[in-house]
């Protein structure tokens, strides 16, 4: 009953809109909100009804125009309500992709012979399989031309040799860097001919004025006997060359020579032990221990 009362009040409110401000305080707030709600609902309903009337009007007008142009009732109905396109079932698309025939055509695919009542279908090879097979043929031709005719690519043995050469270059680069990481704590005694020869070149370029061309000693001490002023171990020799002995006039070489070069010189000096060159300077310093002497000779 309450809703009917509101519906009755809506037209009255619309008619009394100019004087609404005066009588606004006479209507409770709750009732005002409900009236606003129903006004909105009513306007929406009126809008929907108006759209339906317009749609019906357009259909009627279209029917009149088409009829005036000579269309029959069936043609007019077809124009106003066109038939929807029937979508192909997904199974047909899948069968086409795989080059499969539908089950309805199974009888046409039967092969004439049978074995104990078992018959065979003559299904074609799927299209994707054929395309893949043709692609392998094209790939094989390209492979032969690339590797065996024009020799653009390397065969396995050639590729192996190339990779080994690259690995050898990388190894040498690594060893050259690793050799320069050596210091007085990590240097090792090495009698390898290449190391001794490299040390000899550096010795003759830098050490001959003080130690002689055969390390027999000039200003500096004799480096071929058993006596050492600053230790005769390979670590001691490396340290003496690297840091020098300023009090005795021995310069520091760590800024002129790399750690690898200092190691080569130290090993060259150790290789001269016991050579007894002519005109050797008298012994200076402390005698090398027997263990160190044996290790030098063994190296």
């Amino acid at each position: 009953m309450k809703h009917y009362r509101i519906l009755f009040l809506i037209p009255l409110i619309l008619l009394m809109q100019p004087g609404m401000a005066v009588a606004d305080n006479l209507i409770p707030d709750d009732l005002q909100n409900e009236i606003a709600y129903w006004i909105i609902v009513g306007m929406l309903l009126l809008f929907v009804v108006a759209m339906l009337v317009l749609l019906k009007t357009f259909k009627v007008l279209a029917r009149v125009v088409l009829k005036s142009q000579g269309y029959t009732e069936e043609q007019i109905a077809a124009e106003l309500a066109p038939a929807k396109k029937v979508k192909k079932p997904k199974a047909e698309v899948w069968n086409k992709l795989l080059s499969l025939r539908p089950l309805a055509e199974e009888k046409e695919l039967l092969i004439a012979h049978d074995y104990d009542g078992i018959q065979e279908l003559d299904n074609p090879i799927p299209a994707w399989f054929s395309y893949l097979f043709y692609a392998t043929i094209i790939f094989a031709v390209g492979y032969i031309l690339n590797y065996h005719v024009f020799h653009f690519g390397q065969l396995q043995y050639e590729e192996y040799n190339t990779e080994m050469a690259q690995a050898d270059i990388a190894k040498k680069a690594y060893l050259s860097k690793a050799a320069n990481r050596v210091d007085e704590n990590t240097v090792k005694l090495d009698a390898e001919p290449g190391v001794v020869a490299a040390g000899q070149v550096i010795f003759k370029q830098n050490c001959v004025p003080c130690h002689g061309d055969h390390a027999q000693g000039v200003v500096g001490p004799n480096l071929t006997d058993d006596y050492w002023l600053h230790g005769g171990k390979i670590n001691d020799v490396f340290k003496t060359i690297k840091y020098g002995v300023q009090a005795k006039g021995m310069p520091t070489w760590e800024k002129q020579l790399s750690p690898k070069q200092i190691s080569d010189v130290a090993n060259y000096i150790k290789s001269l032990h016991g050579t007894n060159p002519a005109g050797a300077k008298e012994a200076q310093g402390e005698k090398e221990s027997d263990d160190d002497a044996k290790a030098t000779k063994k190296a």
Side-chain angles (χ1 to χ4, degrees), residues 129-141:
F129 189 87
S130 299
Y131 297 147
L132 182 62
F133 177 69
Y134 299 143
T136 58
I137 295 175
I138 295 171
F139 176 82
V141 173

Side-chain angles (χ1 to χ4, degrees), residues 12-29:
L12 181 62
I13 292 170
L14 293 175
L15 292 173
M16 296 175 60
Q17 189 66 27
M20 192 71 177
V22 178
D24 189 36
N25 56 354
L26 299 177
I27 302 174
D29 293 338

Side-chain angles (χ1 to χ4, degrees), residues 143-209:
Y143 183 91
I144 292 173
L145 293 175
N146 183 52
Y147 288 97
H148 297 280
V149 178
F150 300 112
H151 301 286
F152 292 141
Q154 293 182 330
L155 296 176
Q156 289 183 342
Y157 188 70
E158 295 172 345
E159 189 175 358
Y160 169 78
N161 290 334
T162 301
E163 291 182 356
M164 290 300 294
Q166 292 174 349
D168 188 55
I169 294 172
K171 179 181 178 181
K172 289 180 179 178
Y174 171 78
L175 291 176
S176 64
K177 292 179 181 178
N180 279 321
R181 294 194 185 103
V182 68
D183 59 15
E184 60 271 20
N185 298 313
T186 59
V187 64
K188 301 295 182 181
L189 195 62
D190 189 354
E192 198 269 324
V195 173
V196 175
Q200 182 181 18
V201 172
I202 299 170
F203 183 89
K204 290 186 177 298
Q205 290 175 348
N206 302 282
C207 308
V208 169

Side-chain angles (χ1 to χ4, degrees), residues 70-143:
Y71 281 72
T72 63
E73 289 294 332
E74 291 79 7
Q75 292 174 334
I76 293 173
E79 290 290 334
L80 295 179
K84 295 182 179 180
K85 293 182 180 180
V86 180
K87 294 183 178 180
K88 293 184 179 180
K90 294 182 179 179
E92 292 186 13
V93 178
W94 182 253
N95 290 340
K96 187 174 182 180
L97 180 64
L98 297 179
S99 299
L100 299 177
R101 302 282 291 275
L103 291 176
E105 301 177 9
E106 188 178 79
K107 292 183 178 180
E108 300 177 8
L109 302 175
L110 286 173
I111 299 177
H113 62 261
D114 65 77
Y115 301 94
D116 297 331
I118 300 174
Q119 291 182 294
E120 186 180 359
L121 293 178
D122 187 17
N123 268 321
I125 296 175
W128 66 267
F129 189 87
S130 299
Y131 297 147
L132 182 62
F133 177 69
Y134 299 143
T136 58
I137 295 175
I138 295 171
F139 176 82
V141 173
Y143 183 91

Side-chain angles (χ1 to χ4, degrees), residues 230 240-254:
H230 308 287
T240 304
I241 299 170
K242 181 179 180 180
Y243 298 110
V245 184
Q246 298 297 326
K248 300 289 182 69
M250 171 73 175
T252 175
W253 290 98
E254 64 176 334

Side-chain angles (χ1 to χ4, degrees), residues 211-226:
H211 295 282
D213 53 353
H214 297 291
Q216 72 274 16
V218 182
V219 178
N222 178 10
L223 301 177
T224 64
D225 57 15
D226 296 334

